[in-house]
Amino acid sequence: MRRLWGERSPQLTIGVPATLYVFVVAAGDLSLQPLIRLHAATLVMVGLALPALWLTRSCWRRGAPLALAMAAGLIIACIPNALVRAPDPGAGRGEALGLTAGLAVALSVVAVSGLPLRRACRPRLAALRLGWFLALLLSLLVAGVELATDRHLWVGPGLGWADQSRTIIAGAFRNPNDFAIALSAMISGTLAWAASRRCAGSLRVVVGAALAAGVLAVLLTESRSGLLTLLVILGLHAWGWWRRRTAQRPDGGPVLSRRSVAAAGVLLGLTAIGLCTLPTLARYNPLVRLVRAAADPSTARSDGLRVGLLRAGWRYFTASDGFGTGADSFEPLLQADPRWNFGIITWLHNSFLELLLQYGVIPAAALAAVIGVILVTVWRYPGGPEHDLARIEALSALVAFLALGCASATVLTTPVWWLILGQATCSAWWLSGPVAQPTGPRRVRSR
């Protein structure tokens, strides 16, 4: 147990709430659907957030946590106006409740990472990272059941991608894009946890197997956005690993020899060629299927549809007063648009534009401000290897947050989207903690 939370923790159970919170929320519909059936999802999320916020109230005075709290307050303040303008009061109320629950998730994960209350508190990133690792293990178990039973556990019938291939997986999420990007966030957290704990022996084998299976699961989703997100996150972590290893060498020389790098490159190249060219292997290679799907005319039509939906959403926004067209209003606006002829509900497929259109300029600007504060914090505070790890962690979470918001049908009411934003906020909060010093002329006093 001591190896999970770290040797230097004076109390082993101190990070359990943060670990459990990340683990449960990242489980997707596995934990969310029971709450939805009981009509208690928003009540539970807000009920957990309020006491956690009160207990850590002294930690929300500056930096990324303050920006997140102010953004959440502004968005919630604009919800009544969105409900008044909602074309369908029932659907609008459902979306508003889901959005409120999501904001509560973002605030809660920051709050529980700072427990117990201390004047100079900093988030317990190790506990959050362990939660992502456990969530990855659970997601891989769900994906394995999905493959073994040849049945999508939380996806209804009639979807084209579900009938396209027996190996496309969606886990406990709405679609493969959501699952792939959520897996990428879990892989990032697992990499950060393994790097901070310096896993060895059997634990290193377990972590390595989980990471390899996670990468394979992303490939099995056949999600282009998910694969791109994963590659960017892996690149960030590889860059961070190289910086940490180089800093440990007193001569500043290269970590690996040119011969070992060349040998590894040749081996990976031959493996990739064999997986893509040998018919027996290529038949089961999800990457080959993904490339073929990208060249399929139906994929081009789908991409064109997404661009058209974005143009329609932007047109509706420019025609509005900028204070929102109402909760869950894009679908009715699209169905009433004579330029489109849809008989079924079609989502906007960009949650940032969806927030801007339906809730107005103020909530969208507030969310953009949070992202800006996180980026400024990542750039402003230098430090040693631990700071580099937290910096990579924050950037990886932002990559997953932006990708999920741009690739998913809609994630305004998806808890894991807000959980990822909370993770990025925690990492930025840790960077600006009492040990860090800014690069500018002003210095931050120790707290």
mmCIF file of all heavy atoms in Angstrom, residues 304-346:
data_model
loop_
_atom_site.group_PDB
_atom_site.id
_atom_site.type_symbol
_atom_site.label_atom_id
_atom_site.label_comp_id
_atom_site.label_asym_id
_atom_site.label_seq_id
_atom_site.Cartn_x
_atom_site.Cartn_y
_atom_site.Cartn_z
ATOM 1 N N GLY A 304 -17.378 16.449 -43.838
ATOM 2 C CA GLY A 304 -18.064 17.589 -44.422
ATOM 3 C C GLY A 304 -19.302 17.977 -43.633
ATOM 4 O O GLY A 304 -19.616 19.163 -43.489
ATOM 5 N N LEU A 305 -19.997 16.970 -43.096
ATOM 6 C CA LEU A 305 -21.172 17.243 -42.265
ATOM 7 C C LEU A 305 -20.778 17.994 -41.005
ATOM 8 O O LEU A 305 -21.450 18.946 -40.596
ATOM 9 C CB LEU A 305 -21.879 15.936 -41.922
ATOM 10 C CG LEU A 305 -23.051 16.038 -40.940
ATOM 11 C CD1 LEU A 305 -24.164 16.912 -41.507
ATOM 12 C CD2 LEU A 305 -23.577 14.649 -40.597
ATOM 13 N N ARG A 306 -19.675 17.578 -40.393
ATOM 14 C CA ARG A 306 -19.219 18.260 -39.177
ATOM 15 C C ARG A 306 -18.892 19.722 -39.461
ATOM 16 O O ARG A 306 -19.232 20.616 -38.675
ATOM 17 C CB ARG A 306 -17.988 17.553 -38.614
ATOM 18 C CG ARG A 306 -18.292 16.234 -37.916
ATOM 19 C CD ARG A 306 -17.009 15.534 -37.519
ATOM 20 N NE ARG A 306 -17.249 14.317 -36.783
ATOM 21 C CZ ARG A 306 -17.128 14.177 -35.467
ATOM 22 N NH1 ARG A 306 -16.759 15.211 -34.746
ATOM 23 N NH2 ARG A 306 -17.372 13.035 -34.868
ATOM 24 N N VAL A 307 -18.206 19.975 -40.569
ATOM 25 C CA VAL A 307 -17.877 21.355 -40.927
ATOM 26 C C VAL A 307 -19.149 22.158 -41.160
ATOM 27 O O VAL A 307 -19.273 23.315 -40.724
ATOM 28 C CB VAL A 307 -16.968 21.383 -42.168
ATOM 29 C CG1 VAL A 307 -16.756 22.812 -42.643
ATOM 30 C CG2 VAL A 307 -15.631 20.717 -41.868
ATOM 31 N N GLY A 308 -20.124 21.539 -41.828
ATOM 32 C CA GLY A 308 -21.393 22.219 -42.051
ATOM 33 C C GLY A 308 -22.118 22.534 -40.753
ATOM 34 O O GLY A 308 -22.726 23.608 -40.613
ATOM 35 N N LEU A 309 -22.063 21.624 -39.789
ATOM 36 C CA LEU A 309 -22.700 21.875 -38.496
ATOM 37 C C LEU A 309 -22.011 23.021 -37.760
ATOM 38 O O LEU A 309 -22.683 23.855 -37.125
ATOM 39 C CB LEU A 309 -22.647 20.607 -37.650
ATOM 40 C CG LEU A 309 -23.500 19.428 -38.134
ATOM 41 C CD1 LEU A 309 -23.207 18.182 -37.309
ATOM 42 C CD2 LEU A 309 -24.983 19.767 -38.062
ATOM 43 N N LEU A 310 -20.689 23.073 -37.850
ATOM 44 C CA LEU A 310 -19.968 24.182 -37.218
ATOM 45 C C LEU A 310 -20.353 25.519 -37.846
ATOM 46 O O LEU A 310 -20.552 26.521 -37.147
ATOM 47 C CB LEU A 310 -18.460 23.955 -37.336
ATOM 48 C CG LEU A 310 -17.879 22.789 -36.534
ATOM 49 C CD1 LEU A 310 -16.394 22.649 -36.813
ATOM 50 C CD2 LEU A 310 -18.115 22.987 -35.044
ATOM 51 N N ARG A 311 -20.461 25.539 -39.156
ATOM 52 C CA ARG A 311 -20.857 26.779 -39.834
ATOM 53 C C ARG A 311 -22.274 27.177 -39.440
ATOM 54 O O ARG A 311 -22.557 28.370 -39.221
ATOM 55 C CB ARG A 311 -20.763 26.588 -41.350
ATOM 56 C CG ARG A 311 -19.321 26.484 -41.864
ATOM 57 C CD ARG A 311 -19.301 26.201 -43.349
ATOM 58 N NE ARG A 311 -17.931 26.182 -43.866
ATOM 59 C CZ ARG A 311 -17.623 25.830 -45.108
ATOM 60 N NH1 ARG A 311 -18.581 25.466 -45.965
ATOM 61 N NH2 ARG A 311 -16.359 25.837 -45.504
ATOM 62 N N ALA A 312 -23.156 26.201 -39.336
ATOM 63 C CA ALA A 312 -24.525 26.499 -38.929
ATOM 64 C C ALA A 312 -24.556 27.049 -37.504
ATOM 65 O O ALA A 312 -25.247 28.045 -37.224
ATOM 66 C CB ALA A 312 -25.386 25.240 -39.033
ATOM 67 N N GLY A 313 -23.812 26.410 -36.589
ATOM 68 C CA GLY A 313 -23.783 26.902 -35.214
ATOM 69 C C GLY A 313 -23.229 28.308 -35.110
ATOM 70 O O GLY A 313 -23.754 29.137 -34.359
ATOM 71 N N TRP A 314 -22.171 28.582 -35.871
ATOM 72 C CA TRP A 314 -21.616 29.928 -35.851
ATOM 73 C C TRP A 314 -22.592 30.928 -36.454
ATOM 74 O O TRP A 314 -22.698 32.075 -35.980
ATOM 75 C CB TRP A 314 -20.286 29.967 -36.606
ATOM 76 C CG TRP A 314 -19.642 31.320 -36.602
ATOM 77 C CD1 TRP A 314 -19.542 32.200 -37.637
ATOM 78 C CD2 TRP A 314 -19.016 31.954 -35.482
ATOM 79 N NE1 TRP A 314 -18.896 33.337 -37.248
ATOM 80 C CE2 TRP A 314 -18.552 33.218 -35.924
ATOM 81 C CE3 TRP A 314 -18.798 31.585 -34.152
ATOM 82 C CZ2 TRP A 314 -17.897 34.107 -35.082
ATOM 83 C CZ3 TRP A 314 -18.140 32.477 -33.321
ATOM 84 C CH2 TRP A 314 -17.701 33.717 -33.787
ATOM 85 N N ARG A 315 -23.320 30.546 -37.483
ATOM 86 C CA ARG A 315 -24.315 31.443 -38.086
ATOM 87 C C ARG A 315 -25.435 31.762 -37.103
ATOM 88 O O ARG A 315 -25.880 32.914 -37.006
ATOM 89 C CB ARG A 315 -24.877 30.782 -39.344
ATOM 90 C CG ARG A 315 -25.776 31.714 -40.165
ATOM 91 C CD ARG A 315 -26.120 31.142 -41.518
ATOM 92 N NE ARG A 315 -26.926 29.917 -41.407
ATOM 93 C CZ ARG A 315 -26.470 28.706 -41.686
ATOM 94 N NH1 ARG A 315 -25.215 28.546 -42.078
ATOM 95 N NH2 ARG A 315 -27.256 27.639 -41.576
ATOM 96 N N TYR A 316 -25.875 30.749 -36.350
ATOM 97 C CA TYR A 316 -26.914 30.993 -35.350
ATOM 98 C C TYR A 316 -26.401 31.929 -34.255
ATOM 99 O O TYR A 316 -27.150 32.789 -33.757
ATOM 100 C CB TYR A 316 -27.375 29.681 -34.711
ATOM 101 C CG TYR A 316 -27.889 28.657 -35.692
ATOM 102 C CD1 TYR A 316 -27.823 27.297 -35.402
ATOM 103 C CD2 TYR A 316 -28.427 29.034 -36.926
ATOM 104 C CE1 TYR A 316 -28.284 26.350 -36.292
ATOM 105 C CE2 TYR A 316 -28.890 28.094 -37.827
ATOM 106 C CZ TYR A 316 -28.804 26.753 -37.506
ATOM 107 O OH TYR A 316 -29.254 25.807 -38.403
ATOM 108 N N PHE A 317 -25.127 31.795 -33.901
ATOM 109 C CA PHE A 317 -24.585 32.662 -32.862
ATOM 110 C C PHE A 317 -24.493 34.111 -33.332
ATOM 111 O O PHE A 317 -24.852 35.036 -32.600
ATOM 112 C CB PHE A 317 -23.202 32.164 -32.427
ATOM 113 C CG PHE A 317 -22.462 33.141 -31.565
ATOM 114 C CD1 PHE A 317 -22.844 33.356 -30.252
ATOM 115 C CD2 PHE A 317 -21.384 33.863 -32.079
ATOM 116 C CE1 PHE A 317 -22.168 34.269 -29.456
ATOM 117 C CE2 PHE A 317 -20.703 34.768 -31.284
ATOM 118 C CZ PHE A 317 -21.096 34.976 -29.969
ATOM 119 N N THR A 318 -23.981 34.313 -34.536
ATOM 120 C CA THR A 318 -23.851 35.687 -35.045
ATOM 121 C C THR A 318 -25.201 36.354 -35.236
ATOM 122 O O THR A 318 -25.301 37.583 -35.195
ATOM 123 C CB THR A 318 -23.084 35.692 -36.376
ATOM 124 O OG1 THR A 318 -23.739 34.810 -37.316
ATOM 125 C CG2 THR A 318 -21.654 35.233 -36.167
ATOM 126 N N ALA A 319 -26.248 35.564 -35.437
ATOM 127 C CA ALA A 319 -27.583 36.124 -35.578
ATOM 128 C C ALA A 319 -28.261 36.376 -34.238
ATOM 129 O O ALA A 319 -29.330 36.990 -34.191
ATOM 130 C CB ALA A 319 -28.464 35.190 -36.415
ATOM 131 N N SER A 320 -27.647 35.919 -33.139
ATOM 132 C CA SER A 320 -28.236 36.094 -31.817
ATOM 133 C C SER A 320 -27.695 37.362 -31.162
ATOM 134 O O SER A 320 -26.891 38.091 -31.743
ATOM 135 C CB SER A 320 -27.932 34.874 -30.941
ATOM 136 O OG SER A 320 -26.544 34.808 -30.644
ATOM 137 N N ASP A 321 -28.117 37.602 -29.915
ATOM 138 C CA ASP A 321 -27.656 38.787 -29.190
ATOM 139 C C ASP A 321 -26.395 38.516 -28.380
ATOM 140 O O ASP A 321 -25.921 39.400 -27.666
ATOM 141 C CB ASP A 321 -28.764 39.299 -28.265
ATOM 142 C CG ASP A 321 -29.214 38.257 -27.258
ATOM 143 O OD1 ASP A 321 -28.638 37.158 -27.234
ATOM 144 O OD2 ASP A 321 -30.167 38.545 -26.508
ATOM 145 N N GLY A 322 -25.852 37.308 -28.465
ATOM 146 C CA GLY A 322 -24.627 36.985 -27.760
ATOM 147 C C GLY A 322 -24.821 36.502 -26.343
ATOM 148 O O GLY A 322 -23.840 36.145 -25.675
ATOM 149 N N PHE A 323 -26.043 36.481 -25.853
ATOM 150 C CA PHE A 323 -26.310 36.035 -24.494
ATOM 151 C C PHE A 323 -26.948 34.651 -24.449
ATOM 152 O O PHE A 323 -27.537 34.269 -23.448
ATOM 153 C CB PHE A 323 -27.190 37.046 -23.759
ATOM 154 C CG PHE A 323 -26.484 38.334 -23.472
ATOM 155 C CD1 PHE A 323 -26.647 39.430 -24.320
ATOM 156 C CD2 PHE A 323 -25.632 38.453 -22.389
ATOM 157 C CE1 PHE A 323 -25.989 40.626 -24.070
ATOM 158 C CE2 PHE A 323 -24.965 39.639 -22.135
ATOM 159 C CZ PHE A 323 -25.141 40.722 -22.978
ATOM 160 N N GLY A 324 -26.818 33.918 -25.525
ATOM 161 C CA GLY A 324 -27.270 32.539 -25.523
ATOM 162 C C GLY A 324 -28.633 32.367 -26.160
ATOM 163 O O GLY A 324 -29.534 33.195 -25.994
ATOM 164 N N THR A 325 -28.763 31.271 -26.920
ATOM 165 C CA THR A 325 -30.042 30.940 -27.545
ATOM 166 C C THR A 325 -30.865 29.985 -26.695
ATOM 167 O O THR A 325 -31.964 29.610 -27.093
ATOM 168 C CB THR A 325 -29.804 30.307 -28.926
ATOM 169 O OG1 THR A 325 -28.935 29.169 -28.787
ATOM 170 C CG2 THR A 325 -29.159 31.305 -29.868
ATOM 171 N N GLY A 326 -30.333 29.578 -25.548
ATOM 172 C CA GLY A 326 -31.086 28.716 -24.652
ATOM 173 C C GLY A 326 -30.464 27.339 -24.521
ATOM 174 O O GLY A 326 -29.795 26.842 -25.434
ATOM 175 N N ALA A 327 -30.687 26.717 -23.383
ATOM 176 C CA ALA A 327 -30.155 25.386 -23.136
ATOM 177 C C ALA A 327 -30.745 24.377 -24.105
ATOM 178 O O ALA A 327 -31.956 24.382 -24.366
ATOM 179 C CB ALA A 327 -30.467 24.966 -21.692
ATOM 180 N N ASP A 328 -29.868 23.540 -24.650
ATOM 181 C CA ASP A 328 -30.264 22.486 -25.594
ATOM 182 C C ASP A 328 -31.046 23.058 -26.784
ATOM 183 O O ASP A 328 -32.032 22.490 -27.245
ATOM 184 C CB ASP A 328 -31.114 21.435 -24.880
ATOM 185 C CG ASP A 328 -31.155 20.118 -25.630
ATOM 186 O OD1 ASP A 328 -30.082 19.634 -26.038
ATOM 187 O OD2 ASP A 328 -32.258 19.579 -25.825
ATOM 188 N N SER A 329 -30.554 24.178 -27.309
ATOM 189 C CA SER A 329 -31.288 24.866 -28.382
ATOM 190 C C SER A 329 -30.715 24.616 -29.770
ATOM 191 O O SER A 329 -31.391 24.919 -30.766
ATOM 192 C CB SER A 329 -31.294 26.377 -28.120
ATOM 193 O OG SER A 329 -29.969 26.893 -28.093
ATOM 194 N N PHE A 330 -29.495 24.076 -29.882
ATOM 195 C CA PHE A 330 -28.925 23.930 -31.211
ATOM 196 C C PHE A 330 -29.732 22.964 -32.059
ATOM 197 O O PHE A 330 -29.976 23.235 -33.249
ATOM 198 C CB PHE A 330 -27.470 23.440 -31.125
ATOM 199 C CG PHE A 330 -26.890 23.085 -32.466
ATOM 200 C CD1 PHE A 330 -26.515 24.077 -33.360
ATOM 201 C CD2 PHE A 330 -26.749 21.754 -32.861
ATOM 202 C CE1 PHE A 330 -26.001 23.751 -34.621
ATOM 203 C CE2 PHE A 330 -26.235 21.423 -34.094
ATOM 204 C CZ PHE A 330 -25.859 22.424 -34.980
ATOM 205 N N GLU A 331 -30.138 21.841 -31.496
ATOM 206 C CA GLU A 331 -30.865 20.836 -32.276
ATOM 207 C C GLU A 331 -32.181 21.387 -32.813
ATOM 208 O O GLU A 331 -32.494 21.216 -34.006
ATOM 209 C CB GLU A 331 -31.086 19.578 -31.428
ATOM 210 C CG GLU A 331 -29.815 18.812 -31.110
ATOM 211 C CD GLU A 331 -29.027 19.439 -29.978
ATOM 212 O OE1 GLU A 331 -29.562 20.326 -29.279
ATOM 213 O OE2 GLU A 331 -27.860 19.047 -29.786
ATOM 214 N N PRO A 332 -33.002 22.073 -32.000
ATOM 215 C CA PRO A 332 -34.217 22.683 -32.567
ATOM 216 C C PRO A 332 -33.922 23.739 -33.624
ATOM 217 O O PRO A 332 -34.654 23.852 -34.617
ATOM 218 C CB PRO A 332 -34.908 23.291 -31.337
ATOM 219 C CG PRO A 332 -34.425 22.477 -30.195
ATOM 220 C CD PRO A 332 -33.006 22.134 -30.531
ATOM 221 N N LEU A 333 -32.860 24.535 -33.414
ATOM 222 C CA LEU A 333 -32.502 25.532 -34.419
ATOM 223 C C LEU A 333 -32.119 24.864 -35.738
ATOM 224 O O LEU A 333 -32.491 25.346 -36.822
ATOM 225 C CB LEU A 333 -31.343 26.393 -33.911
ATOM 226 C CG LEU A 333 -31.648 27.390 -32.798
ATOM 227 C CD1 LEU A 333 -30.362 28.019 -32.281
ATOM 228 C CD2 LEU A 333 -32.605 28.461 -33.282
ATOM 229 N N LEU A 334 -31.399 23.774 -35.655
ATOM 230 C CA LEU A 334 -30.980 23.078 -36.868
ATOM 231 C C LEU A 334 -32.172 22.452 -37.581
ATOM 232 O O LEU A 334 -32.259 22.509 -38.817
ATOM 233 C CB LEU A 334 -29.957 21.993 -36.510
ATOM 234 C CG LEU A 334 -29.315 21.260 -37.691
ATOM 235 C CD1 LEU A 334 -28.396 22.207 -38.463
ATOM 236 C CD2 LEU A 334 -28.532 20.039 -37.212
ATOM 237 N N GLN A 335 -33.078 21.869 -36.830
ATOM 238 C CA GLN A 335 -34.244 21.244 -37.455
ATOM 239 C C GLN A 335 -35.177 22.271 -38.072
ATOM 240 O O GLN A 335 -35.876 21.978 -39.044
ATOM 241 C CB GLN A 335 -34.998 20.404 -36.415
ATOM 242 C CG GLN A 335 -34.235 19.144 -35.992
ATOM 243 C CD GLN A 335 -35.012 18.307 -35.000
ATOM 244 O OE1 GLN A 335 -35.750 18.834 -34.174
ATOM 245 N NE2 GLN A 335 -34.862 16.995 -35.080
ATOM 246 N N ALA A 336 -35.179 23.487 -37.543
ATOM 247 C CA ALA A 336 -36.015 24.542 -38.118
ATOM 248 C C ALA A 336 -35.319 25.291 -39.243
ATOM 249 O O ALA A 336 -35.953 26.129 -39.902
ATOM 250 C CB ALA A 336 -36.425 25.531 -37.020
ATOM 251 N N ASP A 337 -34.050 24.998 -39.489
ATOM 252 C CA ASP A 337 -33.290 25.687 -40.527
ATOM 253 C C ASP A 337 -33.667 25.113 -41.891
ATOM 254 O O ASP A 337 -33.496 23.914 -42.141
ATOM 255 C CB ASP A 337 -31.795 25.492 -40.271
ATOM 256 C CG ASP A 337 -30.934 26.401 -41.142
ATOM 257 O OD1 ASP A 337 -31.430 26.882 -42.182
ATOM 258 O OD2 ASP A 337 -29.759 26.627 -40.781
ATOM 259 N N PRO A 338 -34.156 25.938 -42.824
ATOM 260 C CA PRO A 338 -34.535 25.414 -44.152
ATOM 261 C C PRO A 338 -33.348 24.931 -44.975
ATOM 262 O O PRO A 338 -33.535 24.180 -45.932
ATOM 263 C CB PRO A 338 -35.214 26.620 -44.813
ATOM 264 C CG PRO A 338 -34.677 27.819 -44.097
ATOM 265 C CD PRO A 338 -34.441 27.378 -42.692
ATOM 266 N N ARG A 339 -32.115 25.321 -44.592
ATOM 267 C CA ARG A 339 -30.939 24.854 -45.328
ATOM 268 C C ARG A 339 -30.605 23.400 -45.013
ATOM 269 O O ARG A 339 -29.833 22.774 -45.724
ATOM 270 C CB ARG A 339 -29.733 25.729 -44.993
ATOM 271 C CG ARG A 339 -29.942 27.211 -45.256
ATOM 272 C CD ARG A 339 -28.654 27.976 -45.010
ATOM 273 N NE ARG A 339 -28.851 29.412 -45.091
ATOM 274 C CZ ARG A 339 -27.887 30.315 -45.024
ATOM 275 N NH1 ARG A 339 -26.635 29.914 -44.866
ATOM 276 N NH2 ARG A 339 -28.145 31.606 -45.093
ATOM 277 N N TRP A 340 -31.145 22.890 -43.929
ATOM 278 C CA TRP A 340 -30.875 21.511 -43.515
ATOM 279 C C TRP A 340 -32.173 20.731 -43.527
ATOM 280 O O TRP A 340 -33.244 21.273 -43.283
ATOM 281 C CB TRP A 340 -30.264 21.473 -42.108
ATOM 282 C CG TRP A 340 -28.920 22.126 -42.042
ATOM 283 C CD1 TRP A 340 -28.654 23.455 -41.892
ATOM 284 C CD2 TRP A 340 -27.662 21.477 -42.143
ATOM 285 N NE1 TRP A 340 -27.309 23.683 -41.892
ATOM 286 C CE2 TRP A 340 -26.666 22.478 -42.038
ATOM 287 C CE3 TRP A 340 -27.266 20.149 -42.297
ATOM 288 C CZ2 TRP A 340 -25.311 22.204 -42.084
ATOM 289 C CZ3 TRP A 340 -25.913 19.869 -42.336
ATOM 290 C CH2 TRP A 340 -24.947 20.882 -42.242
ATOM 291 N N ASN A 341 -32.031 19.449 -43.759
ATOM 292 C CA ASN A 341 -33.211 18.576 -43.812
ATOM 293 C C ASN A 341 -32.909 17.317 -43.010
ATOM 294 O O ASN A 341 -32.617 16.256 -43.558
ATOM 295 C CB ASN A 341 -33.566 18.225 -45.262
ATOM 296 C CG ASN A 341 -34.857 17.421 -45.355
ATOM 297 O OD1 ASN A 341 -35.683 17.456 -44.436
ATOM 298 N ND2 ASN A 341 -35.029 16.698 -46.439
ATOM 299 N N PHE A 342 -32.965 17.454 -41.701
ATOM 300 C CA PHE A 342 -32.661 16.343 -40.816
ATOM 301 C C PHE A 342 -33.940 15.848 -40.164
ATOM 302 O O PHE A 342 -34.712 16.623 -39.597
ATOM 303 C CB PHE A 342 -31.668 16.765 -39.724
ATOM 304 C CG PHE A 342 -30.244 16.787 -40.189
ATOM 305 C CD1 PHE A 342 -29.580 17.988 -40.339
ATOM 306 C CD2 PHE A 342 -29.573 15.615 -40.487
ATOM 307 C CE1 PHE A 342 -28.263 18.013 -40.765
ATOM 308 C CE2 PHE A 342 -28.261 15.635 -40.925
ATOM 309 C CZ PHE A 342 -27.604 16.832 -41.059
ATOM 310 N N GLY A 343 -34.124 14.548 -40.208
ATOM 311 C CA GLY A 343 -35.258 13.953 -39.524
ATOM 312 C C GLY A 343 -34.907 13.435 -38.148
ATOM 313 O O GLY A 343 -35.780 13.005 -37.399
ATOM 314 N N ILE A 344 -33.605 13.437 -37.799
ATOM 315 C CA ILE A 344 -33.167 12.953 -36.497
ATOM 316 C C ILE A 344 -32.350 14.046 -35.811
ATOM 317 O O ILE A 344 -31.917 15.012 -36.441
ATOM 318 C CB ILE A 344 -32.306 11.670 -36.636
ATOM 319 C CG1 ILE A 344 -31.087 11.943 -37.514
ATOM 320 C CG2 ILE A 344 -33.128 10.528 -37.211
ATOM 321 C CD1 ILE A 344 -30.126 10.771 -37.588
ATOM 322 N N ILE A 345 -32.175 13.880 -34.516
ATOM 323 C CA ILE A 345 -31.393 14.842 -33.750
ATOM 324 C C ILE A 345 -29.914 14.738 -34.146
ATOM 325 O O ILE A 345 -29.343 13.655 -34.190
ATOM 326 C CB ILE A 345 -31.553 14.581 -32.238
ATOM 327 C CG1 ILE A 345 -33.004 14.839 -31.812
ATOM 328 C CG2 ILE A 345 -30.602 15.444 -31.430
ATOM 329 C CD1 ILE A 345 -33.270 14.546 -30.354
ATOM 330 N N THR A 346 -29.306 15.874 -34.440
ATOM 331 C CA THR A 346 -27.896 15.932 -34.817
ATOM 332 C C THR A 346 -27.200 16.941 -33.929
ATOM 333 O O THR A 346 -27.575 18.109 -33.901
ATOM 334 C CB THR A 346 -27.740 16.334 -36.297
ATOM 335 O OG1 THR A 346 -28.467 15.423 -37.112
ATOM 336 C CG2 THR A 346 -26.290 16.308 -36.704
#
